[in-house]
Amino acid sequence: MYEDFLPERLAQLRTQKGVSARDMSLSIGQANNYINNIENKKALPSMQSFFYICEYLGITPQEFFDQGTAYPEILHEFIAEAKKLDPKSLSYILGIMKELNSRK
């Protein structure tokens, strides 16, 4: 189970970002097949490379491993923007979110 998580999560997040494994590999300074090897369970990243992967994806390592968050990059951006709001605006957005979630 655990040995499958990292490759599958990496593929999911990379696909959401809309980038090829080759382009991502080259963008983080690795050989062109690096990400493909991770996703195909032929290799695991070093800790330093894992941090580069997270940085490239625009997420923290915690967000990478949070299985309950399907779109961590968007959530990360949402939270960053929410931190800039005044309390009244933040409460307004929270109300909208609660209304949208109650419709499910």
Side-chain angles (χ1 to χ4, degrees):
M1 177 181 146
Y2 294 112
E3 59 273 359
D4 295 335
F5 176 77
L6 191 134
E8 291 171 4
R9 181 71 164 165
L10 177 57
Q12 173 196 19
L13 297 172
R14 179 187 56 76
T15 302
Q16 286 175 6
K17 191 168 182 76
V19 66
S20 71
R22 181 182 188 280
D23 287 345
M24 184 174 174
S25 295
L26 296 174
S27 293
I28 63 171
Q30 298 292 332
N32 63 355
N33 61 345
Y34 181 71
I35 296 297
N36 193 30
N37 284 341
I38 295 170
E39 291 179 359
N40 289 317
K41 303 175 191 170
K42 294 178 183 175
L44 288 173
S46 68
M47 188 62 84
Q48 183 178 18
S49 293
F50 175 70
F51 289 138
Y52 288 143
I53 289 169
C54 289
E55 184 178 335
Y56 180 83
L57 294 171
I59 61 174
T60 66
Q62 179 182 355
E63 291 165 333
F64 184 95
F65 287 107
D66 184 358
Q67 295 177 341
T69 304
Y71 302 97
E73 183 181 17
I74 296 170
L75 183 59
H76 188 79
E77 185 178 358
F78 179 86
I79 291 169
E81 290 299 318
K83 288 179 178 180
K84 299 174 190 176
L85 295 174
D86 60 82
K88 183 177 180 182
S89 297
L90 196 55
S91 293
Y92 180 71
I93 298 296
L94 181 59
I96 292 170
M97 290 171 60
K98 287 180 178 180
E99 177 64 28
L100 290 171
N101 283 326
S102 71
R103 295 179 186 182
K104 290 183 178 181

